[in-house]
Coordinates of all heavy atoms in Angstrom, one line a residue:
V1 N 72.9 11.1 -31.5 CA 73.0 12.6 -31.5 C 72.5 13.1 -32.8 O 71.8 14.2 -32.9 CB 74.4 13.0 -31.2 CG1 74.6 14.5 -31.4 CG2 74.8 12.6 -29.8
D2 N 72.9 12.5 -33.9 CA 72.4 12.9 -35.2 C 70.9 12.8 -35.3 O 70.3 13.7 -35.9 CB 73.1 12.0 -36.3 CG 74.6 12.2 -36.4 OD1 75.1 13.3 -36.1 OD2 75.2 11.2 -36.8
I3 N 70.3 11.7 -34.8 CA 68.9 11.6 -34.9 C 68.2 12.7 -34.1 O 67.2 13.3 -34.6 CB 68.5 10.2 -34.3 CG1 69.0 9.1 -35.2 CG2 66.9 10.1 -34.2 CD1 68.4 9.1 -36.6
A4 N 68.7 13.0 -32.9 CA 68.1 14.1 -32.2 C 68.2 15.4 -32.9 O 67.2 16.2 -32.9 CB 68.8 14.2 -30.8
R5 N 69.3 15.7 -33.6 CA 69.4 16.9 -34.3 C 68.5 16.9 -35.5 O 67.9 17.9 -35.8 CB 70.9 17.1 -34.8 CG 71.2 18.4 -35.4 CD 72.6 18.5 -35.9 NE 72.9 19.9 -36.3 CZ 73.9 20.2 -37.1 NH1 74.7 19.2 -37.6 NH2 74.1 21.5 -37.4
Y6 N 68.4 15.8 -36.2 CA 67.5 15.6 -37.3 C 66.1 15.9 -37.0 O 65.4 16.8 -37.6 CB 67.6 14.2 -37.8 CG 67.5 14.0 -39.3 CD1 68.2 12.9 -39.9 CD2 66.6 14.7 -40.1 CE1 68.1 12.7 -41.3 CE2 66.5 14.5 -41.5 CZ 67.2 13.4 -42.1 OH 67.1 13.2 -43.4
L7 N 65.6 15.3 -35.9 CA 64.3 15.5 -35.4 C 64.1 17.0 -35.0 O 63.0 17.6 -35.2 CB 63.9 14.6 -34.3 CG 63.9 13.1 -34.6 CD1 63.7 12.3 -33.4 CD2 62.8 12.8 -35.7
G8 N 65.1 17.6 -34.4 CA 65.0 19.0 -34.0 C 64.8 19.9 -35.1 O 63.9 20.8 -35.1
V9 N 65.5 19.7 -36.2 CA 65.4 20.6 -37.4 C 64.0 20.4 -38.0 O 63.4 21.3 -38.5 CB 66.5 20.3 -38.4 CG1 66.3 21.1 -39.7 CG2 67.9 20.7 -37.7
I10 N 63.6 19.1 -38.1 CA 62.3 18.8 -38.7 C 61.2 19.5 -37.9 O 60.3 20.1 -38.5 CB 62.0 17.3 -38.7 CG1 62.9 16.6 -39.8 CG2 60.6 17.0 -39.0 CD1 62.9 15.1 -39.8
S11 N 61.3 19.5 -36.6 CA 60.3 20.2 -35.8 C 60.4 21.7 -36.0 O 59.3 22.4 -36.0 CB 60.6 19.9 -34.3 OG 60.4 18.6 -34.0
E12 N 61.6 22.3 -36.2 CA 61.7 23.7 -36.4 C 61.0 24.2 -37.7 O 60.6 25.3 -37.8 CB 63.2 24.1 -36.5 CG 64.0 24.0 -35.2 CD 65.5 24.2 -35.3 OE1 65.9 24.5 -36.5 OE2 66.2 24.0 -34.4
T13 N 61.0 23.3 -38.7 CA 60.3 23.7 -39.9 C 58.8 23.6 -39.8 O 58.1 24.0 -40.8 CB 60.7 22.7 -41.1 OG1 60.2 21.4 -40.8 CG2 62.2 22.6 -41.2
E14 N 58.3 23.1 -38.7 CA 56.9 23.0 -38.5 C 56.2 22.0 -39.4 O 55.0 22.0 -39.7 CB 56.1 24.3 -38.5 CG 56.6 25.3 -37.4 CD 55.8 26.6 -37.4 OE1 55.0 26.8 -38.3 OE2 56.0 27.3 -36.5
A15 N 57.1 21.0 -39.9 CA 56.5 20.0 -40.8 C 55.5 19.1 -40.1 O 54.5 18.8 -40.7 CB 57.7 19.1 -41.4
P16 N 55.7 18.7 -38.8 CA 54.7 17.9 -38.1 C 53.4 18.6 -38.1 O 52.3 17.9 -38.3 CB 55.3 17.7 -36.7 CG 56.8 17.8 -36.9 CD 56.9 18.9 -38.0
E17 N 53.3 19.9 -37.8 CA 52.1 20.6 -37.8 C 51.4 20.6 -39.1 O 50.2 20.5 -39.3 CB 52.3 22.1 -37.3 CG 52.6 22.2 -35.8 CD 54.1 21.8 -35.5 OE1 54.9 21.6 -36.4 OE2 54.4 21.7 -34.3
H18 N 52.2 20.8 -40.2 CA 51.7 20.8 -41.5 C 51.1 19.4 -41.9 O 50.0 19.4 -42.5 CB 52.7 21.2 -42.5 CG 52.2 21.4 -43.9 ND1 51.5 22.5 -44.3 CD2 52.3 20.6 -45.1 CE1 51.1 22.4 -45.6 NE2 51.6 21.3 -46.1
V19 N 51.7 18.4 -41.5 CA 51.2 17.0 -41.7 C 49.9 16.8 -41.0 O 48.9 16.3 -41.5 CB 52.2 16.0 -41.3 CG1 51.6 14.6 -41.3 CG2 53.4 16.0 -42.2
R20 N 49.8 17.4 -39.8 CA 48.5 17.2 -39.0 C 47.4 18.0 -39.7 O 46.3 17.6 -39.7 CB 48.7 17.8 -37.6 CG 49.7 16.9 -36.8 CD 49.7 17.4 -35.3 NE 50.7 16.6 -34.6 CZ 52.0 17.0 -34.3 NH1 52.3 18.3 -34.7 NH2 52.8 16.3 -33.7
L21 N 47.7 19.1 -40.4 CA 46.7 19.9 -41.1 C 46.3 19.0 -42.3 O 45.1 19.0 -42.6 CB 47.3 21.2 -41.6 CG 46.4 22.1 -42.5 CD1 45.2 22.5 -41.7 CD2 47.2 23.3 -43.0
L22 N 47.2 18.4 -43.0 CA 46.8 17.5 -44.1 C 45.9 16.4 -43.7 O 45.0 16.0 -44.4 CB 48.1 16.9 -44.8 CG 49.0 17.9 -45.5 CD1 50.2 17.2 -46.1 CD2 48.3 18.6 -46.6
I23 N 46.2 15.8 -42.5 CA 45.4 14.8 -41.9 C 43.9 15.3 -41.7 O 43.0 14.6 -42.1 CB 46.0 14.2 -40.6 CG1 47.3 13.5 -40.9 CG2 45.0 13.4 -39.9 CD1 48.0 13.1 -39.6
D24 N 43.8 16.4 -41.1 CA 42.5 17.0 -40.9 C 41.7 17.2 -42.2 O 40.5 17.0 -42.2 CB 42.6 18.3 -40.1 CG 43.0 18.1 -38.6 OD1 42.8 17.0 -38.1 OD2 43.5 19.0 -38.0
R25 N 42.4 17.7 -43.2 CA 41.7 17.9 -44.5 C 41.2 16.6 -45.0 O 40.1 16.6 -45.6 CB 42.7 18.6 -45.4 CG 43.0 20.0 -45.1 CD 44.1 20.5 -46.1 NE 44.5 21.9 -45.8 CZ 45.5 22.6 -46.3 NH1 46.3 21.9 -47.2 NH2 45.7 23.8 -46.0
R26 N 42.0 15.5 -44.9 CA 41.5 14.3 -45.4 C 40.4 13.7 -44.6 O 39.5 13.1 -45.2 CB 42.7 13.3 -45.5 CG 43.5 13.6 -46.8 CD 45.0 13.3 -46.6 NE 45.7 13.6 -47.9 CZ 46.1 14.8 -48.2 NH1 45.8 15.9 -47.5 NH2 46.7 15.0 -49.4
L27 N 40.4 13.9 -43.3 CA 39.2 13.5 -42.5 C 38.0 14.3 -42.9 O 36.9 13.7 -42.9 CB 39.6 13.7 -41.0 CG 40.6 12.7 -40.4 CD1 40.8 13.0 -39.0 CD2 40.2 11.3 -40.6
A28 N 38.1 15.5 -43.2 CA 37.0 16.3 -43.7 C 36.4 15.7 -45.0 O 35.2 15.7 -45.2 CB 37.4 17.8 -43.8
Q29 N 37.3 15.4 -45.9 CA 36.9 14.8 -47.2 C 36.1 13.5 -46.9 O 35.1 13.2 -47.5 CB 38.1 14.5 -48.1 CG 38.8 15.7 -48.6 CD 40.2 15.4 -49.2 OE1 40.5 14.2 -49.5 NE2 41.0 16.4 -49.4
A30 N 36.7 12.7 -46.0 CA 36.0 11.4 -45.7 C 34.6 11.7 -45.1 O 33.7 10.9 -45.3 CB 36.9 10.6 -44.7
G31 N 34.5 12.7 -44.2 CA 33.3 13.0 -43.6 C 32.2 13.3 -44.6 O 31.0 13.0 -44.4
A32 N 32.5 14.0 -45.7 CA 31.6 14.3 -46.7 C 31.0 13.1 -47.4 O 29.8 13.0 -47.8 CB 32.2 15.2 -47.8
E33 N 31.9 12.0 -47.5 CA 31.4 10.8 -48.2 C 30.6 10.0 -47.2 O 29.6 9.3 -47.7 CB 32.6 10.0 -48.6 CG 33.5 10.7 -49.7 CD 32.7 11.0 -50.9 OE1 31.7 10.3 -51.2 OE2 33.2 11.9 -51.7
V34 N 30.8 10.0 -45.9 CA 30.0 9.2 -45.0 C 28.6 9.6 -45.1 O 27.7 8.7 -44.9 CB 30.6 9.5 -43.5 CG1 29.6 9.0 -42.5 CG2 31.9 8.8 -43.4
A35 N 28.3 10.9 -45.3 CA 26.9 11.3 -45.3 C 26.1 10.7 -46.4 O 24.8 10.6 -46.3 CB 26.9 12.8 -45.5
V36 N 26.7 10.1 -47.5 CA 25.9 9.5 -48.6 C 25.8 8.0 -48.5 O 25.2 7.4 -49.3 CB 26.5 9.9 -49.9 CG1 26.5 11.5 -50.1 CG2 27.9 9.3 -50.2
L37 N 26.4 7.5 -47.4 CA 26.5 6.0 -47.2 C 25.3 5.6 -46.4 O 24.6 6.4 -45.7 CB 27.8 5.6 -46.6 CG 29.0 5.7 -47.5 CD1 30.3 5.7 -46.8 CD2 29.0 4.7 -48.6
P38 N 25.0 4.3 -46.3 CA 23.9 3.8 -45.5 C 23.9 4.3 -44.1 O 25.0 4.3 -43.4 CB 24.0 2.3 -45.6 CG 24.7 2.0 -46.9 CD 25.6 3.2 -47.1
A39 N 22.8 4.8 -43.6 CA 22.7 5.4 -42.3 C 23.2 4.4 -41.2 O 23.8 4.9 -40.2 CB 21.3 5.8 -41.9

């Protein structure tokens, strides 16, 4: 029950969505580097 409540509050803060945004930013950074590597 505590775990369910814990996860519920975490979801309410929209932390998962923010983490997904951080992931997308890092993938964009990686994409810029791919362009200079061997074709």
Side-chain angles (χ1 to χ4, degrees):
V1 173
D2 293 330
I3 293 297
R5 189 183 188 201
Y6 213 146
L7 293 175
V9 175
I10 288 173
S11 296
E12 289 171 7
T13 68
E14 299 186 350
E17 288 76 8
H18 187 73
V19 171
R20 294 186 186 99
L21 178 61
L22 294 178
I23 290 172
D24 287 341
R25 288 174 180 171
R26 279 150 182 79
L27 289 181
Q29 293 170 14
E33 297 300 337
V34 166
V36 304
L37 290 166

